[in-house]
Amino acid sequence: MKNISLRFLWIAFMLLCQHSFSQKFFDPSVKKVLFIGNSITYSGEYIQLFETIYRLQNPESKVEFYNCSLPSETVSGLSEEGHANGRFPRPVLFERLDRVLKMIHPDVVIATYGINDGIYQPFSEERFLKFQEGIQKLHQQVEAMGAKIIHVTPSVYEEKKKEATFNYAEVMDRYAQWLIAQKKWEIIDTHFPMKKALEEAKKKNPDATFASDGVHPNSQGHWIICRNMLTYFGLKKAKNAEVWTELYPNRSVSNLLLLFQKIQTRHNILKNAWLRATQHTRPEMPEGLPMDEALTKAKALQAEIDSLLR
């Protein structure tokens, strides 16, 4: 009887350990997760961190992650006068969304828009309505092709101009609040946790910043976006982590950073290849590799990634 009890306790302990390690994030039916957004999502560091941690939690998973984001893009269809020094207007997602969805066939779409949709102007009800209409159109179009959509609130805007005549950060607050208020949708709020983290950082150092240009987050900013996404998907230990590597104290930091580097390289190859394949129309973008060549390079990198996960 004693041996049976000990065996039962050992099995229970192993199951508990397995449960605490594995964090599925997605329904078992999910095979493809597509990220779309503007330049912040295109740069993709928070996505690359997200996939790194997902792989560490689920090393046997075959879920594929796609980044098909495009710098300067909006859902509102608006563009400020003189954008890109007058070389081209802001691209609008709906010029290409149908092609992207049909080519990738995602099960889940994670979309982040807003920072460009106010076009860096004072709050306007008309512009705000265009943003809302664009988000609703995106939501409907994704659901119509049978995928689930998760919206992410826009990043925090940091004003760098001392002579600024309006507060664009408050404009983004309103855009984020509207998204959060859509109770029937799945929403990941990264805006207000990022805002709070920035306020705390500035208490310690008034010069602290998450975006040196006011818009594009640095690595710390990307981690804050990522950790709030991880918390949303149930990885509670990420909530207060200062750096992502502290989540895995039993792995060497060099191993973790190498894993991240391989995943990052793979993403950077594929994101431009997918933009090329889906025929975006924005000028001044890197020319991606032909898809066959990109997939060959990605496959070799995936083998290295798999070996690092063992």
Side-chain angles (χ1 to χ4, degrees):
M1 181 66 71
K2 183 178 180 181
N3 288 340
I4 293 173
S5 298
L6 287 173
R7 184 169 179 271
F8 175 80
L9 288 171
W10 175 250
I11 292 171
F13 173 74
M14 292 301 291
L15 286 172
L16 180 63
C17 289
Q18 183 181 18
H19 176 73
S20 63
F21 176 76
S22 178
Q23 193 75 39
K24 297 302 183 186
F25 291 21
F26 303 105
D27 184 272
S29 64
V30 172
K31 305 300 180 190
K32 295 180 180 181
V33 178
L34 169 65
F35 289 83
I36 53 173
N38 46 49
S39 57
I40 296 168
T41 306
Y42 171 80
S43 71
E45 188 171 343
Y46 77 83
I47 302 172
Q48 296 147 10
L49 285 169
F50 183 88
E51 180 171 356
T52 300
I53 293 164
Y54 176 85
R55 298 292 176 207
L56 287 162
Q57 297 294 135
N58 304 281
E60 304 302 321
S61 174
K62 301 302 180 186
V63 171
E64 296 180 80
F65 295 90
Y66 299 80
N67 183 357
C68 206
S69 302
L70 191 64
S72 307
E73 192 167 71
T74 74
V75 293
S76 64
L78 301 174
S79 186
E80 65 272 40
E81 185 177 348
H83 173 258
N85 293 319
R87 296 190 303 277
F88 58 92
R90 291 188 179 278
V92 59
L93 171 65
F94 303 107
E95 187 281 323
R96 66 188 184 99
L97 179 60
D98 189 60
R99 298 193 300 276
V100 172
L101 294 176
K102 285 179 178 177
M103 186 166 284
I104 295 176
H105 293 288
D107 302 297
V108 174
V109 174
I110 300 177
T112 310
Y113 287 94
I115 193 76
N116 293 335
D117 289 278
I119 61 171
Y120 304 93
Q121 298 294 315
F123 180 79
S124 155
E125 288 289 353
E126 184 179 356
R127 283 191 285 269
F128 193 28
L129 182 59
K130 289 288 187 183
F131 168 69
Q132 294 172 24
E133 290 172 347
I135 290 291
Q136 290 164 341
K137 182 177 179 180
L138 165 60
H139 192 95
Q140 292 163 3
Q141 198 164 334
V142 170
E143 287 194 334
M145 61 83 64
K148 178 171 82 170
I149 182 166
I150 302 172
H151 298 275
V152 181
T153 53
S155 298
V156 166
Y157 177 79
E158 297 180 43
E159 183 58 69
K160 302 297 181 182
K161 298 177 183 177
K162 292 182 180 179
E163 70 279 10
T165 57
F166 65 95
N167 191 329
Y168 195 64
E170 292 181 357
V171 176
M172 286 300 98
D173 285 351
R174 294 184 71 164
Y175 281 42
Q177 286 165 347
W178 177 81
L179 268 173
I180 293 167
Q182 308 312 301
K183 300 300 184 183
K184 293 182 179 181
W185 294 357
E186 289 201 43
I187 310 292
I188 303 175
D189 178 28
T190 63
H191 179 89
F192 288 104
M194 194 175 184
K195 183 177 181 178
K196 181 179 179 181
L198 181 61
E199 290 169 351
E200 292 299 319
K202 284 187 175 295
K203 288 178 184 177
K204 299 175 183 177
N205 174 13
D207 295 325
T209 181
F210 292 158
S212 60
D213 66 353
V215 177
H216 300 93
N218 56 21
S219 290
Q220 186 181 11
H222 274 276
W223 166 236
I224 291 169
I225 294 170
C226 179
R227 76 183 184 190
N228 282 285
M229 292 180 65
L230 292 167
T231 302
Y232 175 88
F233 282 106
L235 193 67
K236 302 303 183 186
K237 65 180 181 179
K239 185 175 182 179
N240 298 311
E242 291 295 322
V243 293
W244 73 273
T245 52
E246 74 182 55
L247 300 177
Y248 302 98
N250 296 327
R251 282 182 174 263
S252 71
V253 172
S254 60
N255 172 271
L256 291 170
L257 293 178
L258 182 59
L259 175 64
F260 171 69
Q261 180 188 23
K262 297 293 183 184
I263 288 175
Q264 187 172 52
T265 301
R266 186 176 183 276
H267 266 266
N268 288 339
I269 291 169
L270 288 173
K271 70 184 181 184
N272 289 318
W274 279 111
L275 284 177
R276 173 177 174 162
T278 53
Q279 301 178 332
H280 77 88
T281 58
R282 183 196 189 277
E284 301 178 16
M285 288 295 293
E287 185 176 0
L289 294 172
M291 187 54 68
D292 287 349
E293 186 178 344
L295 290 173
T296 298
K297 289 180 178 290
K299 185 177 180 180
L301 282 163
Q302 190 60 53
E304 296 181 50
I305 291 164
D306 291 341
S307 69
L308 289 168
L309 288 168
R310 295 189 187 106

